[in-house]
Amino acid sequence: MSSTEWTSIKMGKFTLRFKPYTLEMRHVFTVASFSRTTTPVVLTELEYEGFVGYGEASMPPYLGESQESVTAFLRKVDLAAFNSPFQTEEILHYVDTIDAKNTAAKAAVDIALHDLLGKLMQQPFYKIWGLNPDLIPPTSFTIGIDTEEVIRQKVAEAGQFKILKVKLGLATDKMIIDTIRSVTDVPLCADVNQGWKNKEEALAMSHWLAERGVTFLEQPMPKEQIDDNAWLTERSPIPTIADEGCQRYADVAALKGVYTGINIKLMKCTGMREAKKMAELARALEMKVMLGCMTETSCAISAAAQLAPLVDWADLDGALLIGNDIFQGMEVVNGLCRLPDRPGIGVIKN
């Protein structure tokens, strides 16, 4: 599929444009279940009365979406029945009902709509939501599963970060942690990507990791092992966070007690509107909140960062893992997220 051709669809007062684009990873990216060197995305633009909002769908393998499925979904979107982008709830409810899944495709519309709204109001979205960007926690930087030599190289490159996220879930787990600890003592968080299958072994690892400065466990066991994850959460010396086990708003309430908290990602939950609702519900349930990302350009990363003041942990390094970002937006300075004071989600094209 070409990465240079835009499809443009006029629908009443709106025009939706989209095109596929392939992100190139700076390093081979390996987690417990796969490795990859690229990530397919689809870029979107939503125009209304001369204002243009930018959006993005990112599709890592496990989401089950592709550039073909996203563009097929976007061709079904018809906003002709809506007179104004300020009919946000109705528009996004309609988009959500077009098909059952396609959450990344829906997020591409949601992000573009929020960017458009912010530009119409001439305000950044974090200000529209009344949030303080000084409250954004330091973002982690992800260290994928790799050899000792490459892990040391990645840690050296991540010198500005105040917390590192480490991918685990294979037989090399202890080697990876020991290698990182040989070169840095910064706090770590561990993302197991459902790689552990046995609850007793998972509990033993949680104690071993806690002794080595790991602050929480992300998706330690398969999401289907609900009782095992709850058993681990009750006994683990560090918090457990649902990632693959928490997709959308409807999932959140049932996860209280199964995990300590949830990881919200725009590509899983259809975008900014639902992500904010998920964060507020988790808070009401006294659960921890993490804000994550896929491999994305600064477009989707900057969209997620608008709600980062609401969360306990931020993992917004997706644009730093690629070599061909086409946007400028949120920047990471000394491990801290810096939101631009620009309207909408704050991105401009390079």
Side-chain angles (χ1 to χ4, degrees):
M1 205 175 242
S2 170
S3 61
T4 58
E5 297 174 7
W6 285 91
T7 298
S8 182
I9 302 174
K10 183 159 178 58
M11 46 190 87
K13 295 184 176 182
F14 295 89
T15 299
L16 178 64
R17 290 185 289 272
F18 50 90
K19 76 167 183 177
Y21 185 67
T22 299
L23 305 183
E24 299 165 0
M25 311 291 291
R26 294 184 185 273
H27 292 282
V28 176
F29 191 72
T30 301
V31 300
S33 54
F34 59 83
S35 297
R36 67 179 193 270
T37 57
T38 61
T39 298
V41 303
V42 173
L43 306 174
T44 56
E45 295 183 353
L46 185 62
E47 183 172 353
Y48 174 86
E49 294 186 348
F51 289 85
V52 178
Y54 298 128
E56 177 181 2
S58 174
M59 292 81 66
Y62 80 87
L63 267 190
E65 293 181 72
S66 65
Q67 289 172 330
E68 290 77 14
S69 70
V70 169
T71 54
F73 178 90
L74 294 174
R75 290 179 192 279
K76 298 178 186 178
V77 176
D78 184 358
L79 303 182
F82 303 99
N83 293 318
S84 164
F86 288 95
Q87 295 172 264
T88 313
E89 290 290 322
E90 296 145 83
I91 290 172
L92 294 177
H93 174 74
Y94 154 71
V95 170
D96 198 16
T97 61
I98 293 173
D99 271 327
K101 295 185 178 180
N102 295 286
T103 56
K106 294 171 183 177
V109 179
D110 169 286
I111 294 167
L113 179 60
H114 281 84
D115 192 33
L116 174 63
L117 288 168
K119 287 170 177 173
L120 287 165
M121 289 185 270
Q122 298 185 315
Q123 292 292 336
F125 233 88
Y126 68 85
K127 289 186 178 179
I128 294 167
W129 277 339
L131 301 178
N132 180 358
D134 293 337
L135 299 180
I136 299 176
T139 181
S140 55
F141 182 81
T142 301
I143 308 294
I145 296 170
D146 223 311
T147 64
E148 291 183 44
E149 181 182 356
V150 175
I151 288 169
R152 287 193 187 95
Q153 177 188 345
K154 289 178 178 178
V155 173
E157 292 173 3
Q160 68 159 310
F161 292 88
K162 304 177 189 308
I163 181 169
L164 297 178
K165 175 173 171 174
V166 186
K167 293 290 188 177
L168 300 179
L170 298 178
T172 53
D173 287 354
K174 290 188 175 182
M175 176 277 288
I176 290 171
I177 297 296
D178 286 340
T179 300
I180 294 171
R181 279 290 169 250
S182 73
V183 291
T184 183
D185 59 359
V186 299
L188 306 176
C189 50
D191 186 1
V192 188
N193 287 117
Q194 309 184 85
W196 299 341
K197 308 299 191 246
N198 178 283
K199 65 182 183 182
E200 285 84 7
E201 291 176 7
L203 181 59
M205 277 299 295
S206 72
H207 282 278
W208 188 87
L209 292 168
E211 292 167 359
R212 284 152 184 82
V214 172
T215 56
F216 66 86
L217 288 174
E218 190 179 342
Q219 201 60 56
M221 289 181 287
K223 62 183 181 180
E224 297 82 9
Q225 294 179 217
I226 295 170
D227 291 344
D228 288 346
N229 278 301
W231 183 91
L232 176 64
T233 296
E234 186 178 355
R235 294 162 177 79
S236 173
I238 51 180
T240 62
I241 306 297
D243 182 9
E244 289 90 341
C246 182
Q247 306 290 318
R248 300 198 56 179
Y249 180 87
D251 301 328
V252 177
L255 296 176
K256 182 174 173 61
V258 182
Y259 303 91
T260 315
I262 61 170
N263 185 2
I264 300 169
K265 295 179 179 175
L266 302 193
M267 298 302 142
K268 294 191 302 183
C269 74
T270 74
M272 296 169 66
R273 166 181 167 266
E274 187 156 322
K276 184 168 182 285
K277 292 180 178 181
M278 290 174 71
E280 291 167 346
L281 176 57
R283 282 275 179 253
L285 294 170
E286 299 183 333
M287 297 177 74
K288 295 287 188 181
V289 182
M290 177 182 179
L291 182 65
C293 63
M294 309 302 183
T295 311
E296 301 163 350
T297 73
S298 290
C299 177
I301 294 293
S302 300
Q306 302 299 314
L307 57 109
L310 292 173
V311 308
D312 299 290
W313 299 294
D315 180 34
L316 298 175
D317 64 343
L320 303 176
L321 303 177
I322 63 173
N324 59 337
D325 195 354
I326 57 171
F327 290 96
Q328 296 177 44
M330 185 208 82
E331 296 181 334
V332 179
V333 180
N334 294 324
L336 300 175
C337 300
R338 296 290 183 228
L339 285 171
D341 190 16
R342 291 191 290 261
I345 61 172
V347 296
I348 55 177
K349 281 186 172 178
N350 285 330

